[in-house]
Amino acid sequence: HRFNVTCAPVQGTFGRGAVICFRDVTELRQLDQMRRDFVANVSHELRTPLTAILGFIETLQGPARNDPQAQERFLSTMADEASRMNRLVGDLLSLSKVEEVSRMRPTDAVNLGDLVRSVVRNLMPLATDAGSTLDFLAPGGAMIVPGDSDQLMQVVTNLIENALKYGGQGTHVTIRLDEVERDRSLRGPAICLSVKDNGPGIDPVHIPRLTERFYRIDSHRSREMGGTGLGLAIVKHIINRHRGRMAIESAPGEGSTFRVFLPKL
Ligand code: ADP
């Protein structure tokens, strides 16, 4: 622990003395350090594509001035880098929106069955392009939770996109919705959304840290896949706002299952 210590002289009935005051500032220091790390991370993440773009501009103005083929190639790479910055800014805005604790908790009645079905439909072309499959299994009956449908859609999208991205070519992704009669941590009935892939799986040492902002197992692969490192941090915050919880089950060589439990309406 870290303490701020202040000392003041006092004059009392028993003579002169001193009051020494210890203030525990461990948490404040940690918060301050987290804020600084975050700013450093964001700056680094923005600077990398920006440096690349500046480099290409210089080449376009100089050596590639009269080379239409090189110009086309550089412009297309510059467009990719700019999209990366755009995705990062979009994810940062989403994160700051869902992190705001003071915001009202979402209360609309959301039909998870319909929501998941529409996300699966949207992502089907992405899966097909990678030779992967998406299967959605849901028992009958309405799966209604109190929530914000845009945010829940983001949760489902991020989890399925990750399964496709990190599962690799030809992965099988299975999405399920199940009713849970009583979830012990949520202390009541819940709906469980699970997204399972048969990709390479995750070493257990990484699992507790996956929802930290900018935590990636393989930064190069994440960047190559268009990841910002914020996807699971956003997922975690949205689930917290919905008073739910997430469980990650994975082992190297055995694929991964991400489960989200949300209190039932
Ligand atoms: P990113 O933008 O890098 O995808 P995320 O926050 O969504 O960031 O995920 C954090 C890291 O967790 C990823 O970089 C990846 O290493 C790992 N990860 C997430 N989902 C899976 C998965 N289904 N299989 C294997 N690794 C995964």
Side-chain angles (χ1 to χ4, degrees), residues 1 24 78 91 139-140 177 237 260:
H1 277 243
D24 188 343
M78 285 165 75
D91 276 358
L177 280 179
H237 282 285
V260 172

Side-chain angles (χ1 to χ4, degrees), residues 83-264:
S83 316
R84 183 136 84 89
M85 292 174 76
N86 202 23
R87 258 194 321 273
L88 178 63
V89 172
D91 276 358
L92 285 169
L93 289 173
S94 295
L95 189 63
S96 83
K97 206 162 114 188
V98 295
E99 265 184 342
E100 227 180 287
V101 198
S102 60
R103 281 166 68 96
M104 287 256 295
R105 290 200 181 267
T107 52
D108 286 348
V110 178
N111 183 329
L112 276 184
D114 291 349
L115 186 141
V116 174
R117 209 164 289 116
S118 89
V119 174
V120 168
R121 205 178 310 123
N122 290 343
L123 293 179
M124 201 54 96
L126 194 71
T128 314
D129 281 352
S132 301
T133 55
L134 286 185
D135 281 317
F136 175 39
L137 310 167
M143 301 273 187
I144 314 279
V145 296
D148 174 315
S149 63
D150 287 343
Q151 289 184 3
L152 291 176
M153 201 168 242
Q154 189 159 15
V155 167
V156 181
T157 307
N158 287 3
L159 293 181
I160 302 179
E161 274 183 355
N162 276 354
L164 290 170
K165 279 194 303 198
Y166 301 108
Q169 292 266 326
T171 188
H172 297 294
V173 182
T174 312
I175 304 119
R176 292 181 59 109
L177 280 179
D178 290 292
E179 284 186 76
V180 179
E181 216 167 288
R182 184 181 152 78
D183 182 88
R184 240 192 289 157
S185 318
L186 303 185
R187 298 201 182 123
I191 305 279
C192 171
L193 160 81
S194 67
V195 179
K196 182 177 191 304
D197 65 66
N198 63 347
I202 302 166
D203 197 297
V205 294
H206 297 293
I207 294 181
R209 301 198 57 190
L210 291 184
T211 55
E212 284 175 24
R213 307 150 170 174
F214 298 116
Y215 189 85
R216 296 142 159 151
I217 299 170
D218 177 346
S219 311
H220 179 70
R221 179 154 171 76
S222 157
R223 290 214 177 84
E224 214 174 51
M225 295 278 133
T228 60
L230 294 175
L232 289 178
I234 294 173
V235 164
K236 180 184 90 176
H237 282 285
I238 294 178
I239 295 169
N240 285 350
R241 292 199 63 218
H242 285 76
R243 294 185 199 273
R245 68 181 180 97
M246 179 160 75
I248 305 171
E249 198 185 303
S250 185
E254 301 196 4
S256 312
T257 306
F258 286 73
R259 288 195 184 83
V260 172
F261 295 84
L262 294 167
K264 215 175 152 186

